[in-house]
Each structure stands twice: as structure tokens, then as C-alpha cells.
Amino acid sequence: MISESIRFVIAGYGVMLAPSLAVEEHLKRNEVGIVKVKGIEIKRPVFLCNRKENQEHSSTISQFLRIIKMQKSTDLPS
């Protein structure tokens, strides 16, 4: 989906937000450009995906999830 959207931007059909890694080569070839907007902070959600039958996590993953959950609760508006 991202690569198709990038091709539409290259063809001149619009703009998009894309991960820097996805457009790195296109930037080198000057096929796309970067527009920086002052005062805008973009936050992306974090998803954990795993197999249904594999519900137990290692201690490292469990610790990571605790950190993420703590961070999320501190980001909530008052």
C-alpha cells in the first residue's frame, strides 16, 4: 500500500506521510521531496502482533509492554 501511494506522489497525484525508510531511495533520486511543518508532532501507534496460540511473552517483551503502557498513560490529556 505504501509503495503504491509513493508512486501516486511521484506521478503528481497528491501528497502523503511516509516512513523515511520507505522513501529513502526516491529522495536520493529526487523523485519526491520532504516538507517540514513547524509545530507539528506526529505520533504513531505501536501494535503488538503475535500468533493466537502463542500468548505468553518472554520477560524482555513483558518489560517492553509495561514501559509502553506506562508511557501511554503519561501521554493522556488531563
Side-chain angles (χ1 to χ4, degrees):
M1 185 88 153
I2 289 178
S3 60
E4 290 86 359
S5 298
I6 293 169
R7 282 186 260 159
F8 279 115
V9 171
I10 292 169
Y13 291 113
V15 298
M16 68 176 288
L17 297 174
S20 58
L21 287 175
V23 295
E24 186 175 51
E25 293 301 317
H26 300 287
L27 286 166
K28 288 178 184 175
R29 293 190 298 264
N30 292 319
E31 296 172 331
V32 297
I34 297 174
V35 176
K36 295 183 180 185
V37 181
K38 290 182 182 179
I40 300 292
E41 182 180 343
I42 298 172
K43 293 186 178 185
R44 301 271 310 173
V46 173
F47 297 94
L48 173 66
C49 303
N50 61 296
R51 293 185 185 113
K52 270 186 174 180
E53 63 273 3
N54 188 10
Q55 293 297 315
E56 296 200 19
H57 305 293
S58 71
S59 61
T60 304
I61 292 175
S62 295
Q63 184 177 2
F64 172 75
L65 292 173
R66 277 193 301 277
I67 292 168
I68 295 298
K69 287 176 183 178
M70 286 184 346
Q71 180 65 40
K72 182 179 179 184
S73 65
T74 61
D75 285 346
L76 295 175
S78 309

